[in-house]
Amino acid sequence: MNSLKNELKNQIPVLQNDIKKLISEKGEQKISEVTVAQAYSGLRGIKAFVCDTSSVSADKGLIIRGIPLLEMTHVLPEEVFYLLLTGKLPNKAELQELQKEFSKHLIVPSYVWNILKEMPKDAHPMTMFNTGILAMQGESVFYEKYSKGMPKTEYWEAVLDDGIRLLAKLPSLGAGIYRMRFKKGDRIDADPNKDWSGNFVNMVGLPDESGDLHKLMQLYFMLHCDHEGGNVSAFASHTVASALSDPYYAVSAGLNGLAGPLHGLANQECLKFVLSVRDEFKGLPNSNQLKEYCWDRLNNGQVIPGYGHAVLRCPDPRFSAFVKFGQDHIKNDDVFGIVDLLFKVVPDVLQKHGKAKNPWPNVDAASGALLYHYGLKEFNFYTVLFSISRSMGMISQMVWERALGIPITRPKSVTTDWIKSSVY
Ligand code: HAX
C-alpha cells in the first residue's frame, strides 16, 4: 500500500496547484447554465461539480481515466481500483502490494453476522448488505482520527485506509449474505491467497471447474466499478461524505440509492423480465411475439428494464462486453438467447413508443443472464454484486474529494414562486 499512498502523495499537490491556478485565472468563467426545465428534471445535464475518476460520454460510454472501457476488459478489479485512484494501471509489484493489503482485512466482524441473522428471513439482500456495512461504521479509521483532531491534510489518507478495509471485506460480506439468505449452508472463509473475484466465487460456493465463473466475476467487478460522479449512488455518497461522514456511512448511503429499480436494482428487474419471457413462451419466443410482449408491458405503464439511460445515447459498452463474454463462453442457452433477441427488438419498440431518449441497452440488460447461466439464480442478489464493485468508484472519488478539500455539498434550491417571478 505504500506505493499507492506515495503515488497519491506525489499527485495530490500537483492537482491542488492546478486547480488553484484554474480557479484564480478562470474562476468566473461559466461552464453550464440551468434552464427552468432542468430545475424540474433531476438536474439532468447540468455541469456543476467535478469527478476525475471516470467520465461517461453519450456516444462512447464509460471512459476510465482516459481509457475507453472496451479497451480494458482484461483488467482485474484490483487493477481498476488503482487506476481509478491514480490514473495509472499498477505494475506487478504495485498490484501484489494492493492485493496483500486487501488480504489483511478480509474478515467481517462476527457482530455483523449476528445482526444479519436477526433480520427477517425474507429481507432483501441489499438491505442486509447495507446494514452490514453500516454496522461496521465503528471500525472507521477516519471517524476515530477525526474525533482526535486529525488535520485536514490527512483526511484523504484516512478515507483510503477505511476504503481498503471496507473493500477487502465486501466479497466476504456479499458471499456470506448469499449463503445465509438463500440457505446454502455455512459461510465459507475467505482465502488470503485468492484474488478479490476468486475469493468471492469460492465463498459463494458455486462449482467452477472451468474457471469461467471466476473470469465472469473479474469482468463483472471491473465493469461496474464507476460511472462518473452524477449517478444516484455516486452523487449520494459524494454528498454524504462531504459532511465528513466516514466511508462506511457514505458508501452505505450510495448503495441505498443503487438499490432503486431505476438504478442498480434494474439488474434484478431485468432478469425477472427475461425469465417472465421464457416462462410465457416456454423458451425462446420469435421476434414478433417478443415485440408484442414488450408493447404489453409498456402499455401497462412499466419500463423495459435494462434499457434507457440518463446520459448514454448508444448501446452501453458494458452491455457489449457482457454480450461478448456470453458469445465466447455460452452456447444454446434460452435465457441468454432472450437477452440477445431483446437487443434486436427493444430499441425499435422504444423508438416507436417515443418516450425514452435512449432506446439502447444499459449495463443491466445482460449481466443477469450470465450469472444465471453459471448457477447464481437468485436474482434479488444481483444488486449486491453491482454494489461490491461500485464501492470502488465511490471510495476513489471520496479519497480525491478529501485530498482536494472539496467543501460540504449545498446547492441552492428555489421555490416555484421564485422561478415564476424570475422568468415572467
Ligand atoms: N422503458 C420504458 N420507458 C422508458 C424507458 C424504458 N426502458 N426509459 C425511459 N423511459 C421513459 C421514462 O420513464 C420517461 O417517461 P415519462 O416521461 O412518462 O416520465 C421518458 O421515457 C423519458 O425518460 P428519459 O429522459 O429517456 O430517461 P431518464 O433520464 O429520465 O431515466 C432511466 C433514465 C435509466 C431511469 C430510464 O431509462 C429507465 O427507467 N430505464 C429502465 C430502468 C433501467 O434500466 N435502469 C438502469 C439504468 C442504468 C443504471 O443506472 N444502472 O445502475
Side-chain angles (χ1 to χ4, degrees):
M1 172 105 128
N2 278 345
S3 54
L4 174 58
K5 281 195 174 170
N6 286 339
E7 180 63 40
L8 289 168
K9 274 180 192 157
N10 290 335
Q11 290 187 15
I12 287 167
V14 178
L15 190 59
Q16 280 172 337
N17 285 333
D18 259 13
I19 293 172
K20 215 187 229 171
K21 184 166 174 276
L22 195 62
I23 295 175
S24 92
E25 290 175 3
K26 300 282 177 191
E28 297 305 311
Q29 200 151 314
K30 281 189 188 163
I31 54 168
S32 203
E33 280 178 322
V34 184
T35 63
V36 173
Q38 281 172 309
Y40 287 99
S41 310
L43 310 179
R44 199 75 81 261
I46 301 166
K47 300 181 192 78
F49 74 115
V50 177
C51 167
D52 286 321
T53 55
S54 68
S55 63
V56 177
S57 117
D59 58 347
K60 292 195 188 73
L62 178 60
I63 298 167
I64 301 179
R65 292 285 192 173
I67 311 176
L69 189 75
L70 291 178
E71 288 174 22
M72 51 182 293
T73 49
H74 58 286
V75 163
L76 293 178
E78 295 93 320
E79 292 177 296
V80 90
F81 180 55
Y82 195 100
L83 176 69
L84 287 166
L85 280 166
T86 65
K88 296 176 181 173
L89 281 164
N91 62 30
K92 207 170 163 202
E94 289 161 342
L95 174 63
Q96 280 173 350
E97 202 186 0
L98 179 61
Q99 287 177 322
K100 202 165 155 215
E101 194 59 32
F102 274 140
S103 70
K104 286 187 205 156
H105 302 288
L106 296 172
I107 297 179
V108 175
S110 58
Y111 61 80
V112 173
W113 301 119
N114 294 336
I115 291 168
L116 297 181
K117 262 187 226 144
E118 292 302 317
M119 291 182 73
K121 299 290 164 251
D122 61 351
H124 195 283
M126 276 303 284
T127 316
M128 297 174 79
F129 192 68
N130 289 351
T131 302
I133 292 174
L134 202 52
M136 290 190 279
Q137 184 278 328
E139 313 278 330
S140 170
V141 173
F142 182 93
Y143 181 78
E144 195 192 345
K145 289 193 169 171
Y146 186 86
S147 314
K148 291 182 180 152
M150 161 173 60
K152 275 187 174 181
T153 48
E154 292 176 14
Y155 286 178
W156 71 267
E157 208 170 330
V159 169
L160 181 59
D161 286 338
D162 273 347
I164 300 261
R165 284 158 200 236
L166 180 56
L167 285 172
K169 291 176 182 55
L170 294 184
S172 316
L173 180 63
I177 287 171
Y178 177 75
R179 294 189 65 81
M180 180 188 287
R181 173 66 176 72
F182 301 108
K183 301 190 174 51
K184 301 285 181 184
D186 291 342
R187 279 191 308 280
I188 300 169
D189 287 337
D191 177 348
N193 299 314
K194 285 194 160 44
D195 72 346
W196 218 50
S197 323
N199 236 328
F200 175 79
V201 171
N202 192 45
M203 288 184 290
V204 284
L206 288 168
D208 186 30
E209 273 140 38
S210 65
D212 285 353
L213 178 57
H214 185 185
K215 280 191 221 145
L216 173 63
M217 292 319 301
Q218 284 178 337
L219 181 69
Y220 192 106
F221 288 142
M222 195 287 282
L223 292 181
H224 287 83
C225 67
D226 201 35
H227 217 230
E228 69 173 40
N231 63 78
V232 165
S233 49
F235 195 61
S237 74
H238 154 86
T239 302
V240 171
S242 80
L244 301 186
S245 302
D246 63 57
Y248 293 83
Y249 282 125
V251 169
S252 90
L255 296 180
N256 285 327
L258 199 73
L262 297 189
H263 193 16
L265 203 79
N267 61 8
Q268 93 164 38
E269 294 304 297
C270 189
L271 192 76
K272 214 197 280 179
F273 173 57
V274 169
L275 296 182
S276 77
V277 172
R278 184 199 58 182
D279 295 347
E280 173 78 15
F281 298 100
K282 315 269 175 291
L284 197 64
N286 65 37
S287 305
N288 285 336
Q289 288 170 320
L290 190 57
K291 223 178 257 181
E292 205 175 309
Y293 195 75
C294 290
W295 274 112
D296 284 348
R297 188 177 166 99
L298 290 170
N299 291 335
N300 208 19
Q302 289 173 282
V303 296
I304 307 287
Y307 281 75
H309 201 271
V311 177
L312 293 174
R313 298 293 177 261
C314 66
D316 190 331
R318 299 170 297 178
F319 169 82
S320 312
F322 277 135
V323 168
K324 173 147 187 358
F325 185 95
Q327 286 163 346
D328 291 349
H329 294 88
I330 298 177
K331 302 277 170 272
N332 303 325
D333 179 306
D334 275 355
V335 174
F336 187 65
I338 293 169
V339 167
D340 201 33
L341 192 59
L342 281 166
F343 182 38
K344 296 189 176 98
V345 163
V346 173
D348 186 49
V349 169
L350 282 179
Q351 264 158 351
K352 292 206 170 79
H353 185 239
K355 277 191 164 186
K357 293 188 189 68
N358 176 40
W360 301 108
N362 60 55
V363 62
D364 298 318
S367 58
L370 300 177
L371 296 167
Y372 194 84
H373 176 83
Y374 289 105
L376 232 166
K377 299 200 169 183
E378 296 80 2
F379 49 76
N380 58 356
F381 183 68
Y382 292 171
T383 312
V384 170
L385 301 177
F386 195 152
S387 304
I388 291 175
S389 173
R390 185 51 65 88
S391 302
M392 290 194 283
M394 293 185 208
I395 286 162
S396 310
Q397 293 185 26
M398 256 175 251
V399 168
W400 273 103
E401 281 153 8
R402 296 296 74 77
L404 297 175
I406 305 296
I408 189 163
T409 303
R410 184 38 170 113
K412 176 82 185 100
S413 64
V414 293
T415 62
T416 297
D417 282 345
W418 181 91
I419 292 192
K420 282 184 187 163
S421 66
S422 310
V423 296
Y424 287 119

